Amino acid sequence: MDVSQVLESTLSADATTRQNAEQQLSQAAEVDFSGYLTTLAQELANEQAQPHIRTAAGIALKNSFSAREYARLREVQERWIQQVDPSVKKQVKDLALKTLASNDARAGQSAAQFIASIAAIEIPRNEWPDLMAALVQNVGEGADHLKQASLTTIGFVCETEDIELRESLSQHSNAILTAVVQGARKEESNADVRNAAISALGDSLEFVRTNFENEGERNYIMQVICEATQSTDNRIQQGAFGCLNRIMGLYYDKMRFYMEKALFGLTIIGMKSEEEDVAKLAVEFWCTVCEEEIAIEDDNAQAQAEGSHEMRPYFNFTRVAAREVVPVLLELLTRQDEDAGDEDYNISRAAYQCLQLYAQAVANDIIGPVLAFVEQNLRHEDWHNRDAAVSAFGAIMEGPDEKTLDPLVKQALPVLIGMMEDQVVQVKDSAAYALGRICESVSESIDPTTHLPTLILALFTGLSSNPKMAGSCCWALMNLADRFAGEPGCQENPLSKHFNDSVGHILQVTERSDADNQLRTAAYEVLNSFVTNSANDTLTTVATLSDVILQRLEKTIPMHHQIVSVEDRITLEEMQTSLTSVLLAIIQRLEGEIKPQADRIMHILLQVLNTVGGKSSVPDTVFAAVGALSNALEEDFAKYMESFVPFLYNALGNQDEPGLCAMAIGLVSDITRSLGEKAQPYCDAFMNYLLNNLRSTTLSNQFKPAILQCFGDIAQAICGHFETYLSVVAQVLQQAATVTTGTDGSYEMLDYVVSLREGIMDAWGGIIIALKAGNKTQLLTPYVESIFTLLSIVWQDQNRSEAVLRSAMGVIGDLADAFPNGEFTNYYRQDWIMHMIKDVRSNRDFAPRTTDTARWAREQVKRQTGGAQMS
């Protein structure tokens, strides 16, 4: 293999050439991993090689130790530990460290990434003890490019999300700080080195907690960062303000002295900087302060409610600084960029976000300065000021007391509605968004008689007037629909009078010739919301709407043959997804009343599935609509199964599209619950697909809980017929019950184990109910002990969730109910069972559904044990 040629091909613009090269590298790694690493490391260190070849070698090395899935990452790391000889490891690491000194900055960067990948494996195992010392020496004695590459390496190492490495890095805090602080000082003349040091310092702050506890060290670190905020290099300024953001989030309790002496002034100066990226980070500093103080107040309030005297330090930075900070934020609101896209994050949007947080942090104290600004600028001749005034008012709708806001909102509503007719579209858009904020947070101030007619008209007029306003107008209308929905199933609500006109407006907007995808999609989302929140007196209109939506959806089917570009495909798929989503909302709202339309609905949905291409989002929405229809029709859905089930089987077996596969698993649950025993002819295939998916290495672990729950749903549907699958499923459930977090304490793994146990419990619950209904409870006898073992594990686990405990209560009660003659009394007489039930039913934080299940379980156990043991 000509390694240079292969590496060059990995950078090819031609996909086939690139894929062939990547495949050659993969095969080389499989055949001789040590040789593969050595060859690439030599090419990375080769000063005679072309820069792009060296970069490609570095990327290939890094990718050898990268994986998206945690389990796969551990596999590739294990390959380094088990398959590579210590002498080869040393050679490869030495070559990588040597490359840091290269004059080719890109090679040094690639080497830094590769070193960080190996460090993630070796530092937690104390197998590269001299790495940090070598990097510190490089920073202290090396040439500028070596300093920069070494500091970049430290930054990459500290960026890690690996739990074991994060825990180990604190042991190296002195070395890390020595290097980064030395490079970050104002005495460092090379701006690139200083920038790399500030960046690495930001990444390392979490691991130097011990040093930060020492006042002398902390003072020096803060001095270096504060001096960096005054650098003439914008990159260094940005990095310094980024460090301050992280420090405030990590070490709030240590910040009082520094806020008083320096940070108030420095950050306000930073917010006023002409360099937008610097100003944004200074604004974000105050976002962080707000978020910390909001969280501290919440934590302290909860602690006080629980009778605890352990309060977190709270310094009221936001209130103390409000007089200086809020006026600057309001001024920054006027620095809008009229050409900015919806996703662009500029200084005006940063200031808006900060003002929102400030309102939540200081509550009523925000009202005075904001109202003064609004009154001063609302009629300003410059649209930037008018827009800022409208935005500022909307930003403070969450935080201040609603009673205080109520008269202000009532007074402002006619003005804001009037601003929807401003000559400048940006002002109209901000007015619509502010109205949406009012609908979301202070909806009680909107009077259905006084405000609602003009508000709805203004928002629909805005929606029709300019596509740029679509997002804000639609969001406001959806909030409005949620606010005035009334109780579920109510005969009428305040929207009823406006329902027909609203539906007509939306249908007109979606059919406009100048409507782009964004406008059309947003309008259909509003239609969705209006249908979902419709009262009973508008159901006739909803039923009529189904004809319109079906007709439009049917018209999209021939368009499949007219696609000539990627844009055409995207437009068609978005239209079909939007229409099917509305159809889904209609089915869910009409429930059984949809039956007269069911044949036509299924006919059109099947046509859509027949014509849609691969890797499309449309089938997901179609499956959701089919699931809703099966829920509405129950056993009557059986007539559509023969024509629909091939699509369901294909999706269940399509592991290359995990989203669709997950949707299919959920749909099996929906359909089997609806069909009951009529689902039996399809269960062999369902079970085969589900078991294959459980064994799959392609699908992530997150699929497994849903599959286990699906077993329970299938069991309940076919009752005693589930005997066919019992032994295989029981074995799967017993095996799944042995999964623990082990040494991996990541939140991802923790959530997975909790979800898995919930799935196991739901599966056993469904199986127990099914076999009892089929008079086959004796088949459960071999598995009772393992069920109680899992219940005990759940009870002892401090991370157990309410959902797991609710499912556990169901299993305890169902099993007792299935064996009413006390066959398993000994299990139920165990003390921990009684404590578990009592703990769940007396927990005031749990939902009534959970505590009611626990009470029911207690009654079943009483019968099982003769009632003497339970209280």
Side-chain angles (χ1 to χ4, degrees):
M1 178 176 79
D2 182 346
V3 67
S4 296
Q5 183 59 51
V6 174
L7 288 170
E8 180 141 24
S9 296
T10 64
L11 304 173
S12 171
D14 179 66
T16 304
T17 303
R18 193 169 62 250
Q19 288 165 5
N20 288 339
E22 289 168 353
Q23 192 170 6
Q24 277 185 273
L25 289 176
S26 296
Q27 288 171 349
E30 288 298 324
V31 173
D32 179 8
F33 189 52
S34 295
Y36 172 78
L37 295 176
T38 304
T39 302
L40 289 179
Q42 288 169 341
E43 199 66 20
L44 175 63
N46 183 3
E47 292 292 337
Q48 275 67 54
Q50 292 291 319
H52 66 282
I53 299 296
R54 299 179 74 184
T55 301
I59 292 170
L61 282 167
K62 179 182 73 72
N63 289 345
S64 300
F65 300 96
S66 304
R68 291 180 183 176
E69 288 288 330
Y70 181 83
R72 176 61 183 155
L73 177 62
R74 280 291 182 248
E75 282 178 26
V76 297
Q77 290 179 337
E78 200 64 30
R79 189 159 59 164
W80 169 267
I81 296 166
Q82 300 290 344
Q83 296 182 20
V84 182
D85 186 81
S87 62
V88 175
K89 288 181 182 178
K90 184 177 186 309
Q91 181 186 3
V92 168
K93 291 188 293 187
D94 287 348
L95 286 166
L97 285 170
K98 175 188 171 186
T99 308
L100 293 178
S102 173
N103 288 318
D104 180 353
R106 289 194 300 172
Q109 176 96 352
S110 295
Q113 291 179 311
F114 174 51
I115 290 168
S117 299
I118 300 302
I121 305 170
E122 296 207 336
I123 287 179
R125 294 171 174 77
N126 295 316
E127 292 175 356
W128 202 352
D130 54 350
L131 171 62
M132 286 301 172
L135 295 174
V136 171
Q137 185 176 353
N138 289 349
V139 175
E141 303 172 5
D144 285 345
H145 56 270
L146 176 57
K147 287 182 181 180
Q148 183 182 350
S150 299
L151 287 164
T152 301
T153 304
I154 293 173
F156 284 147
V157 171
C158 293
E159 268 183 350
T160 182
E161 294 183 5
D162 186 283
I163 299 290
E164 293 179 6
L165 179 54
R166 291 168 77 89
E167 290 174 352
S168 302
L169 283 175
S170 58
Q171 300 168 23
H172 300 272
S173 62
N174 289 332
I176 292 170
L177 268 181
T178 299
V180 297
V181 172
Q182 182 171 343
R185 295 177 307 160
K186 65 181 179 182
E187 289 78 14
E188 175 55 63
S189 58
N190 186 299
D192 290 335
V193 171
R194 195 176 179 199
N195 179 50
I198 283 288
S199 178
L201 178 55
D203 290 326
S204 67
L205 285 166
E206 190 174 338
F207 312 113
V208 297
R209 187 171 293 275
T210 304
N211 307 77
F212 228 82
E213 293 291 333
N214 182 298
E215 185 178 357
E217 293 188 58
R218 182 171 69 245
N219 286 343
Y220 188 53
I221 295 169
M222 293 300 294
Q223 178 187 332
V224 168
I225 295 171
C226 288
E227 288 171 350
T229 66
Q230 304 306 296
S231 170
T232 55
D233 188 305
N234 292 329
R235 299 171 304 160
I236 296 170
Q237 276 191 289
Q238 291 172 45
F241 280 115
C243 284
L244 292 179
N245 289 351
R246 294 212 67 194
I247 288 170
M248 182 55 73
L250 291 166
Y251 304 110
Y252 173 92
D253 60 315
K254 300 285 190 295
M255 285 297 104
R256 189 171 191 171
F257 171 78
Y258 307 103
M259 288 292 275
E260 292 172 355
K261 295 296 182 183
L263 300 187
F264 278 125
L266 288 176
T267 52
I268 288 171
I269 292 170
M271 289 162 69
K272 295 177 180 179
S273 171
E274 291 301 313
E275 292 295 332
E276 183 165 296
D277 288 335
V278 173
K280 282 192 296 188
L281 282 160
V283 169
E284 285 172 20
F285 172 82
W286 283 102
C287 289
T288 305
V289 176
C290 291
E291 288 168 343
E292 281 300 306
E293 296 203 331
I294 291 166
I296 290 169
E297 284 199 285
D298 288 345
D299 290 347
N300 287 348
Q302 185 175 348
Q304 200 167 13
E306 294 171 355
S308 171
H309 297 291
E310 293 185 15
M311 299 291 173
R312 293 178 60 188
Y314 178 70
F315 302 125
N316 231 343
F317 294 143
T318 45
R319 281 189 172 83
V320 171
R323 287 185 180 181
E324 286 78 25
V325 175
V326 173
V328 179
L329 293 175
L330 293 169
E331 183 61 30
L332 291 175
L333 286 177
T334 66
R335 284 170 52 180
Q336 308 94 326
D337 177 2
E338 56 191 295
D339 298 320
D342 290 341
E343 303 303 318
D344 292 342
Y345 182 64
N346 53 37
I347 187 61
S348 175
R349 288 174 181 171
Y352 180 85
Q353 178 186 354
C354 192
L355 192 62
Q356 280 184 300
L357 289 166
Y358 230 103
Q360 294 170 48
V362 304
N364 291 355
D365 290 357
I366 199 77
I367 294 175
V370 169
L371 281 187
F373 179 81
V374 171
E375 289 169 3
Q376 186 179 349
N377 291 279
L378 195 60
R379 303 298 182 192
H380 202 285
E381 61 183 21
D382 187 335
W383 74 263
H384 293 86
N385 293 62
R386 297 198 304 276
D387 181 77
V390 170
S391 297
F393 188 79
I396 65 168
M397 288 300 101
E398 184 181 356
D401 181 66
E402 286 188 32
K403 289 182 180 177
T404 306
L405 285 175
D406 182 70
L408 303 175
V409 170
K410 282 184 165 65
Q411 184 181 350
L413 270 169
V415 179
L416 288 172
I417 291 170
M419 298 294 283
M420 292 285 291
E421 297 178 6
D422 195 277
Q423 296 301 305
V424 178
V425 68
Q426 284 86 352
V427 178
K428 293 198 287 186
D429 185 40
S430 294
Y433 196 80
L435 289 168
R437 290 275 293 166
I438 291 170
C439 296
E440 179 185 47
S441 302
V442 205
S443 58
E444 295 300 320
S445 300
I446 302 172
D447 183 88
T449 306
T450 310
H451 303 129
L452 196 56
T454 53
L455 179 54
I456 288 181
L457 180 61
L459 290 171
F460 274 117
T461 302
L463 180 60
S464 303
S465 68
N466 196 305
K468 284 187 176 180
M469 298 172 60
S472 297
C473 290
C474 289
W475 182 66
L477 285 164
M478 286 189 286
N479 286 337
L480 201 65
D482 291 340
R483 154 66 181 92
F484 290 108
E487 292 298 318
C490 61
Q491 183 56 32
E492 62 178 335
N493 63 30
L495 289 175
S496 294
K497 295 176 185 176
H498 312 283
F499 190 81
N500 288 355
D501 288 344
S502 297
V503 169
H505 272 301
I506 298 167
L507 292 175
Q508 285 174 12
V509 167
T510 54
E511 286 289 273
R512 274 172 43 178
S513 58
D514 63 340
D516 60 9
N517 290 355
Q518 185 180 2
L519 172 59
R520 196 163 35 240
T521 300
Y524 278 127
E525 285 176 2
V526 176
L527 188 55
N528 238 332
S529 188
F530 269 71
V531 168
T532 300
N533 293 298
S534 59
N536 290 343
D537 63 349
T538 58
L539 290 186
T540 304
T541 304
V542 174
T544 305
L545 177 63
S546 67
D547 283 323
V548 178
I549 298 302
L550 285 169
Q551 186 178 4
R552 290 188 179 185
L553 186 57
E554 197 166 23
K555 284 181 180 177
T556 67
I557 294 168
M559 295 180 187
H560 173 72
H561 302 292
Q562 301 165 19
I563 293 174
V564 294
S565 67
V566 173
E567 289 74 18
D568 288 347
R569 181 177 296 280
I570 291 171
T571 299
L572 177 58
E573 289 188 358
E574 287 187 357
M575 194 184 303
Q576 289 184 329
T577 298
S578 294
L579 289 165
T580 309
S581 296
V582 176
L583 184 60
L584 165 62
I586 292 170
I587 294 168
Q588 290 173 327
R589 186 65 190 89
L590 293 179
E591 296 178 320
E593 299 300 314
I594 197 67
K595 191 172 183 179
Q597 290 275 43
D599 285 357
R600 187 180 177 204
I601 290 171
M602 280 304 294
H603 176 70
I604 293 171
L605 292 180
L606 289 169
Q607 282 186 296
V608 172
L609 288 174
N610 250 324
T611 55
V612 76
K615 305 292 183 183
S616 166
S617 61
V618 176
D620 291 30
T621 318
V622 171
F623 277 19
V626 170
L629 191 64
S630 73
N631 290 335
L633 299 180
E634 296 180 334
E635 289 187 355
D636 290 339
F637 186 79
K639 63 191 280 193
Y640 307 115
M641 282 298 288
E642 287 302 319
S643 53
F644 173 68
V645 83
F647 296 104
L648 183 53
Y649 291 158
N650 285 339
L652 283 170
N654 188 352
Q655 297 182 6
D656 293 330
E657 295 186 58
L660 182 60
C661 187
M663 198 77 199
I665 292 166
L667 187 51
V668 170
S669 286
D670 288 340
I671 287 176
T672 51
R673 281 197 299 264
S674 299
L675 294 184
E677 292 200 355
K678 288 186 178 179
Q680 191 186 344
Y682 311 100
C683 285
D684 279 355
F686 287 159
M687 291 299 296
N688 282 332
Y689 280 113
L690 293 172
L691 289 167
N692 282 338
N693 287 342
L694 268 183
R695 290 188 286 264
S696 169
T697 56
T698 304
L699 297 176
S700 74
N701 282 340
Q702 305 309 317
F703 280 71
K704 292 179 181 177
I707 292 172
L708 300 185
Q709 288 171 331
C710 195
F711 289 154
D713 291 326
I714 291 172
Q716 279 192 261
I718 62 176
C719 298
H721 298 295
F722 195 77
E723 177 184 357
T724 307
Y725 317 111
L726 178 60
S727 61
V728 174
V729 171
Q731 186 178 355
V732 167
L733 297 178
Q734 288 171 327
Q735 188 174 359
T738 64
V739 175
T740 63
T741 54
T743 56
D744 174 15
S746 68
Y747 290 116
E748 183 182 343
M749 188 64 182
L750 194 65
D751 286 345
Y752 167 61
V753 171
V754 171
S755 299
L756 189 68
R757 288 175 182 169
E758 185 182 344
I760 298 167
M761 288 298 176
D762 287 345
W764 276 124
I767 291 167
I768 293 165
I769 292 169
L771 295 180
K772 181 175 185 291
N775 294 316
K776 295 182 177 181
T777 51
Q778 73 281 359
L779 296 174
L780 289 166
T781 303
Y783 312 113
V784 170
E785 183 175 354
S786 64
I787 293 173
F788 275 93
T789 299
L790 176 59
L791 288 167
S792 175
I793 291 170
V794 166
W795 170 239
Q796 293 170 47
D797 186 356
Q798 295 303 308
N799 297 308
R800 58 186 182 263
S801 67
E802 179 183 352
V804 170
L805 289 172
R806 180 170 59 246
S807 298
M809 293 299 103
V811 168
I812 289 170
D814 289 333
L815 200 57
D817 184 47
F819 294 94
N821 299 322
E823 293 92 328
F824 299 107
T825 300
N826 289 341
Y827 288 108
Y828 284 100
R829 289 189 185 278
Q830 297 175 94
D831 288 344
W832 64 267
I833 285 281
M834 303 163 196
H835 290 311
M836 186 179 189
I837 295 173
K838 185 176 182 180
D839 186 78
V840 175
R841 70 181 172 84
S842 60
N843 192 319
R844 294 181 180 179
D845 293 332
F846 286 173
R849 178 184 166 200
T850 304
T851 53
D852 288 347
T853 305
R855 289 190 183 94
W856 173 79
R858 180 184 63 168
E859 294 307 312
Q860 302 309 311
V861 175
K862 271 186 179 180
R863 293 194 185 100
Q864 186 78 198
T865 60
Q869 306 298 320
M870 299 294 293
S871 60

